């Protein structure tokens, strides 16, 4: 009963251009892992992220390096020590979950003891641009319940005001992607509160966020780049109100679930997020939706085309039904 491992790099064009404070891109490059055993296949997908020193080629090589260990009987539990948190382990971890579910003719949610909520509301991301461009995008998405606004550049107050005017009824989450400075933060938080923003994500650079313990949080603040996995969660207390759990940071669903447990015990609210990627990445992350106050799993909506059989999105909601693509 030998398990075989294969992996590949796959590009997916983005619908237009996706821009954040660190730059723009026109395609999402993902790496897939495939586990085969006795005619059954488990799949996983990850998105290497340059901000964390990852490249598709290096992530692919890291996954492929596990081929002998997988053939020798590596388990999902063993994997947690064999690879560090990050994209490579995420793809393999999710592939193990998928294969385990298919082997047992069940679903990953059943294996994990999770019941998906009947209603999963996801954010839709408005890319960083001029106030007029962002207002136009927000106006087209104004019927959606939750918008995530990319900021982190001079002129953010004008951008936010333009978005709010274009989408007066939508809840707003702001993501500065480490683009603000400490001396402007109190004012920017007040501006966010004025425009009814629910949450501000990673306003200051990771490693330079001690100031967050000294100022009033007039809007809740969420850590993203400042936290990856279990290590370091305790240091967030007093600085952040919430944590954005992404499987590409935690190294898969296994540690993501442990991060959620620990974050809740520390009094931190949970956001579940994603990179720009396909439904193969969203499906494992979806298992955290019932514990999350904010869900940001719109990656496939930013692509020109998703994988066949991907998630179904309707008016800002994710269909919680089973999927043949991953997890049952």
């Amino acid at each position: 009963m030998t398990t075989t491992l294969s992996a590949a790099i796959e590009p997916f064009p983005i619908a237009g251009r996706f821009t954040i404070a660190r730059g723009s891109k026109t395609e999402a490059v993902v790496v897939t892992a495939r586990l085969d055993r006795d005619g059954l296949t488990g799949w996983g997908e990850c998105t290497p992220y340059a901000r964390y020193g990852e490249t598709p080629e290096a992530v692919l090589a890291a996954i492929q390096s596990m081929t002998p260990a997988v053939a020798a009987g590596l388990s999902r539990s063993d994997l947690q020590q064999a690879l560090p948190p990050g994209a490579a382990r995420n793809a393999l971890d999710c592939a193990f979950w998928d294969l385990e579910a298919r082997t047992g003719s069940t679903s990953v949610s059943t294996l994990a003891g999770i019941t998906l909520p009947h209603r999963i509301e996801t954010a839709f991301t408005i890319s960083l641009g001029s106030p007029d461009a962002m207002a136009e995008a927000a106006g087209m998405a104004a019927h959606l319940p939750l918008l995530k606004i990319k900021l982190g550049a001079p002129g953010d107050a004008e951008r936010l005001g333009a978005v709010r005017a274009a989408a007066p009824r939508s809840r707003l989450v702001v993501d500065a992607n480490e683009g603000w400075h400490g001396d402007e933060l109190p004012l920017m938080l007040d501006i966010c509160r004025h425009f009814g923003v629910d949450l501000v994500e990673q306003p200051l650079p990771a490693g330079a966020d001690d100031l967050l313990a000294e100022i009033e949080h007039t809007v809740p603040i969420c850590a993203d780049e400042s936290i990856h996995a279990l290590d370091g969660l305790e240091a967030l207390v007093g600085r952040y109100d919430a944590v954005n759990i992404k499987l590409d940071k935690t190294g898969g669903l296994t540690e993501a679930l442990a991060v959620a447990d620990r974050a809740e015990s520390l009094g931190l609210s949970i956001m579940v997020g994603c990179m720009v990627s396909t439904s193969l990445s969203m499906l494992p992350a979806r298992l955290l939706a019932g514990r999350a106050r904010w869900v940001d799993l719109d990656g496939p909506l930013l692509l020109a085309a998703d994988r066949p059989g991907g998630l179904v999105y309707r008016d800002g909601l994710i269909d919680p039904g089973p999927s043949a693509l991953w997890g049952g």
Side-chain angles (χ1 to χ4, degrees):
M1 199 167 67
T2 301
T3 303
T4 61
L5 166 64
S6 57
I9 296 173
E10 297 184 60
F12 284 84
I14 289 173
R17 181 180 296 271
F18 182 72
T19 302
I20 65 173
R22 281 189 290 273
S24 301
K25 61 182 181 179
T26 57
E27 70 175 4
V29 180
V30 305
V31 181
T32 55
R34 172 175 173 165
L35 296 174
D36 288 286
R37 183 198 303 146
D38 290 346
L40 299 173
T41 300
W43 290 95
E45 177 183 288
C46 67
T47 306
Y49 197 34
R51 168 65 179 80
Y52 303 141
E54 297 175 332
T55 66
E57 294 75 17
V59 167
L60 176 66
I63 294 172
Q64 292 173 329
S65 74
M66 302 305 297
T67 300
V70 168
L74 181 82
S75 69
R76 178 167 54 84
S77 177
D78 297 332
L79 176 67
Q80 309 310 309
Q81 286 71 50
L83 284 177
R89 196 178 78 185
N90 177 30
L92 263 177
D93 182 76
C94 291
F96 269 114
W97 276 103
D98 192 26
L99 184 60
E100 289 171 30
R102 295 180 193 277
T103 300
S105 300
T106 187
S107 66
V108 171
S109 59
T110 299
L111 280 179
I114 293 170
T115 300
L116 286 171
H118 295 297
R119 180 184 175 90
I120 303 175
E121 181 182 280
T122 183
F124 178 75
T125 301
I126 304 299
S127 186
L128 180 67
S130 69
D132 287 345
M134 294 182 72
E136 181 180 1
M140 295 175 63
H143 63 290
L144 300 177
L146 179 62
L147 301 180
K148 181 171 178 175
I149 312 305
K150 290 290 188 178
L151 297 178
D156 278 347
E158 291 76 16
R159 292 184 181 93
L160 186 54
V163 166
R164 174 48 86 198
R169 295 180 178 83
S170 300
R171 293 166 53 220
L172 301 182
V173 168
V174 159
D175 185 2
N177 281 116
E178 305 179 277
W180 292 347
H181 303 287
D183 55 0
E184 68 180 328
L185 183 57
L187 175 60
M188 289 307 304
L189 289 177
D190 283 345
I191 290 170
C192 287
R193 179 173 58 85
H194 172 75
F195 287 117
V197 170
D198 276 16
L199 183 74
V200 172
E201 191 178 344
Q202 198 66 44
L204 300 179
D209 51 9
D210 290 347
L211 176 64
L212 298 179
E214 303 172 10
I215 65 169
E216 182 182 2
H217 292 200
T218 52
V219 176
I221 302 175
C222 179
D224 184 2
E225 286 86 355
S226 285
I227 189 68
H228 290 235
L230 280 168
D231 186 37
L233 265 176
E234 286 76 7
L236 300 183
V237 176
R239 289 188 288 152
Y240 290 96
D241 307 291
V243 55
N244 188 347
I245 301 175
K246 294 178 179 175
L247 272 61
D248 277 314
K249 295 191 302 179
T250 65
L253 178 61
T254 301
E255 185 147 344
L257 294 172
V259 170
D261 288 342
R262 184 63 180 141
E264 289 174 339
S265 75
L266 293 170
L268 295 166
S269 296
I270 292 172
M271 179 181 193
V272 56
C274 67
M275 307 300 186
V276 182
S277 47
T278 80
S279 284
L280 187 54
S281 288
M282 302 306 115
L283 282 158
R286 186 179 63 158
L287 271 72
L288 292 163
R291 306 173 69 170
R293 185 173 172 186
W294 302 274
V295 174
D296 177 27
L297 298 178
D298 66 339
L301 297 178
L302 305 174
L303 300 176
D306 191 10
R307 295 184 187 275
L311 283 169
V312 176
Y313 293 82
R314 296 188 182 91
D315 296 326
L317 301 178
I318 301 175
D319 189 329
S323 169
L325 183 61
W326 186 89

